[in-house]
């Protein structure tokens, strides 16, 4: 099967069945999403959504967070993974946001990455979700699912390599949706250790499933 055909089958399925995917992080504005995405690194969205309501009540805007300190922020996010580093990143991010960007979330991926705690993945999420830009954040789910399906070659061994391969074939208008489709499929169907291949609607063109059939696993 040609790569273009595989992408078409992938896109056709999700366009028809999940036309409007959304992030599972709870947020009310770009600032809150940026905070939530920083917190979500190596942590579940479910846990982040538990922590953020009291955090946002105490720090409803960049100014209030910038005026705080890592020690206070830590008390609100202690149950999140790596709370010490993330506390420092959040305060540093807020201060730069206030001082350098007039409290406005920048739309540029390059500008976003200047802030503490904002790597390429986080910057791409913000650019995609908030500004509908053709930016693709590659997390562990996107990395795993795109390789298993055969959307990218197994030689794409880094998030950046996977991002570049996906961007070659995804229509710009669908990049931000494809990001969510891959994440949700990886989170609920194409699990890391025990993928639910039997109930997967993509198995007809999935390379990983094809290899399992050859090995007579099913």
């Amino acid at each position: 099967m040609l790569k273009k055909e595989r992408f078409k089958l992938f896109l056709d399925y999700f366009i028809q069945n999940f036309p409007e995917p959304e992030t599972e992080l709870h947020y009310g504005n770009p600032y809150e999403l940026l905070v939530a995405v920083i917190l979500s690194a190596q942590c579940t969205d479910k846990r982040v959504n538990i922590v953020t309501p009291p955090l946002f009540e105490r720090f409803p805007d960049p100014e209030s967070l910038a005026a705080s300190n890592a020690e206070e922020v830590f008390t609100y996010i202690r149950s999140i993974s790596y709370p010490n580093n993330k506390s420092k990143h959040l305060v540093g991010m807020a201060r730069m946001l206030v001082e350098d960007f007039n409290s406005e979330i920048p739309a540029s991926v390059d500008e976003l990455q200047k802030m503490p705690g904002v790597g390429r993945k986080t910057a791409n999420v913000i650019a995609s979700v908030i500004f509908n830009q053709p930016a693709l954040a590659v997390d562990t789910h996107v990395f795993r699912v795109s390789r298993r399906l055969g959307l990218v070659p197994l030689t794409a061994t880094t998030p950046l390599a996977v991002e570049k391969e996906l961007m070659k074939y995804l229509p710009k208008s669908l990049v931000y949706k494809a990001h969510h489709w891959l994440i949700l499929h990886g989170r609920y169907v194409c699990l890391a250790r025990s993928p639910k291949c039997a109930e997967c609607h993509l198995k007809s063109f999935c390379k990983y499933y094809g290899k399992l059939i050859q090995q007579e696993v099913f």
Side-chain angles (χ1 to χ4, degrees):
M1 180 182 294
L2 296 176
K3 185 71 68 68
K4 288 183 178 180
E5 294 174 329
R6 200 178 300 275
F7 268 88
K8 184 179 186 305
L9 290 170
F10 166 77
L11 293 172
D12 285 349
Y13 171 77
F14 283 105
I15 289 171
Q16 181 176 350
N17 293 279
F18 302 98
E20 298 299 331
E22 296 180 347
T23 177
E24 293 187 317
L25 290 171
H26 298 166
Y27 69 98
N29 54 56
Y31 156 73
E32 290 186 356
L33 179 61
L34 179 55
V35 170
V37 175
I38 290 174
L39 290 175
S40 72
Q42 298 183 320
C43 187
T44 66
D45 288 359
K46 182 178 180 180
R47 168 56 55 183
V48 174
N49 290 336
I50 292 173
V51 167
T52 49
L55 181 69
F56 292 151
E57 183 177 358
R58 171 62 182 87
F59 307 110
D61 48 46
E63 290 80 7
S64 57
L65 183 56
S68 182
N69 55 66
E71 289 73 21
E72 182 183 8
V73 173
F74 177 88
T75 63
Y76 289 88
I77 69 167
R78 64 172 71 245
S79 65
I80 293 286
S81 60
Y82 305 104
N84 286 304
N85 286 336
K86 289 179 180 178
S87 298
K88 297 174 184 177
H89 288 159
L90 288 178
V91 174
M93 174 276 292
R95 290 175 180 172
M96 183 174 286
L97 193 57
V98 171
E99 296 170 6
D100 297 351
F101 298 105
N102 197 30
S103 298
E104 294 291 331
I105 306 296
S108 164
V109 170
D110 290 336
E111 292 290 287
L112 284 162
Q113 289 186 87
K114 293 180 180 179
M115 293 186 285
V118 182
R120 184 175 183 83
K121 184 183 75 173
T122 297
N124 279 344
V125 170
I126 301 302
S128 172
V129 174
I130 297 299
F131 301 104
N132 287 338
Q133 293 184 15
L136 184 64
V138 178
D139 69 353
T140 181
H141 299 300
V142 174
F143 186 86
R144 179 178 68 256
V145 173
S146 59
R147 283 160 51 92
R148 281 182 176 174
L149 288 176
L151 298 178
V152 304
L154 295 180
T155 53
T157 57
T158 66
L160 182 57
V162 168
E163 177 187 335
K164 289 181 177 179
E165 287 292 329
L166 289 171
M167 292 297 288
K168 289 179 182 179
Y169 293 92
L170 289 172
K172 287 187 176 181
S173 61
L174 293 177
V175 168
Y176 79 100
K177 290 187 177 182
H179 161 72
H180 295 305
W181 287 331
L182 289 165
I183 286 178
L184 295 174
H185 192 66
R187 186 172 290 164
Y188 297 110
V189 181
C190 193
L191 308 181
R193 294 185 179 179
S194 301
K196 302 177 181 179
C197 296
E199 61 188 67
C200 177
H201 295 283
L202 309 182
K203 61 177 176 285
S204 63
F205 63 90
C206 175
K207 282 191 172 182
Y208 178 84
Y209 182 75
K211 290 181 179 179
L212 292 181
I213 290 297
Q214 292 175 1
Q215 296 168 4
E216 298 182 350
V217 174
F218 288 88

